[in-house]
């Protein structure tokens, strides 16, 4: 589960990435409640965003492929979107708001942008960690993610970003 302060931190991190790259971001979440919370937080921050999960309009899925939406944020349900999408022409930045329990699903999610036809020199994937992160699950996921580490003979590194709750907010609920 992603609590309010982590959702706020995710929005701040995505804003910083978008300012740096000038492009939109794919934000991955494990469940619908987290997708909905993140969408609410992006709305509050004034960032154009679209939810892509079984609970959101099918038109949002079509917007993923349109170049005019390159600067937007798409909050994706891993269960709905980790397979079958070809997003290499419009996106290259992936942010995981939650640690995924499966290296195969993490690789599939990143693989939506890391594929032939990618127009950027690199694909960026970041996993946002908090004090309550299950490091055993994370470690197992990263060890199993062979594609993430080694593709076509080039070493790839997973970037782990650590977040502390902002001082004005209460600590995370465990």
């Amino acid at each position: 589960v992603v609590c309010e302060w982590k959702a706020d931190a995710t929005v701040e991190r995505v804003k910083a990435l978008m300012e740096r790259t000038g492009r939109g971001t794919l934000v991955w979440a494990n469940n619908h409640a987290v997708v909905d919370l993140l969408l609410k937080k992006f709305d509050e921050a004034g960032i154009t965003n679209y939810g892509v999960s079984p609970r959101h309009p099918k038109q949002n899925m079509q917007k993923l492929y349109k170049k005019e939406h390159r600067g937007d944020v798409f909050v994706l349900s891993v269960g709905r979107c980790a397979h079958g999408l070809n997003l290499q022409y419009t996106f290259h930045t992936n942010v995981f708001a939650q640690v995924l329990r499966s290296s195969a699903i993490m690789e599939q999610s990143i693989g939506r942008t890391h594929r032939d036809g990618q127009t950027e020199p690199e694909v960026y994937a970041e996993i946002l960690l908090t004090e309550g992160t299950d490091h055993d699950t994370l470690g197992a996921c990263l060890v199993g993610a062979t594609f993430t580490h080694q593709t076509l003979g080039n070493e790839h590194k997973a970037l782990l970003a650590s977040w502390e709750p902002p001082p004005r907010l209460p600590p995370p609920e465990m």
Side-chain angles (χ1 to χ4, degrees):
V1 175
V2 170
C3 57
E4 293 274 334
W5 68 264
K6 186 171 182 188
D8 290 333
T10 301
V11 169
E12 290 305 312
R13 181 63 185 147
V14 168
K15 276 173 51 177
L17 288 170
M18 290 173 66
E19 287 171 7
R20 189 188 81 191
T21 66
R23 297 269 298 269
T25 302
L26 301 176
V27 179
W28 298 91
N30 281 332
N31 64 56
H32 304 302
V34 175
V35 169
D36 291 342
L37 175 60
L38 289 167
L39 290 170
K40 180 182 115 185
K41 294 295 183 176
F42 281 114
D43 280 342
E44 290 171 0
I47 297 172
T48 304
N49 64 84
Y50 301 95
V52 182
S53 78
R55 292 172 23 177
H56 296 94
K58 288 184 180 180
Q59 294 87 339
N60 288 359
M61 179 80 80
Q62 295 163 350
K63 290 175 183 173
L64 280 166
Y65 298 100
K66 302 197 184 231
K67 291 190 178 188
E68 64 263 23
H69 292 287
R70 271 186 160 174
D72 299 337
V73 171
F74 285 83
V75 182
L76 306 168
S77 161
V78 171
R80 169 85 182 256
C81 301
H83 302 280
L85 299 178
N86 296 312
L87 304 175
Q88 71 271 26
Y89 300 110
T90 46
F91 293 94
H92 73 286
T93 304
N94 299 273
V95 172
F96 292 89
Q98 299 169 281
V99 174
L100 303 182
R101 300 204 179 277
S102 164
S103 58
I105 294 193
M106 184 175 78
E107 289 178 342
Q108 282 291 324
S109 300
I110 296 168
R112 303 306 90 219
T113 57
H114 188 260
R115 55 195 319 119
D116 288 342
Q118 176 54 253
T119 58
E120 296 293 320
E122 66 183 24
V123 169
Y124 185 82
E126 183 170 299
I127 304 167
L128 299 177
L129 305 179
T130 61
E131 192 174 303
T133 298
D134 178 354
H135 292 282
D136 291 336
T137 300
L138 174 65
C141 185
L142 291 178
V143 166
T146 54
F147 179 79
T148 303
H149 294 290
Q150 188 72 32
T151 304
L152 301 176
N154 297 321
E155 193 67 26
H156 293 266
K157 296 178 183 168
L159 177 66
L160 306 178
S162 181
W163 288 95
E164 294 296 323
R168 67 186 187 282
L169 297 175
E173 297 175 16
M174 297 293 181

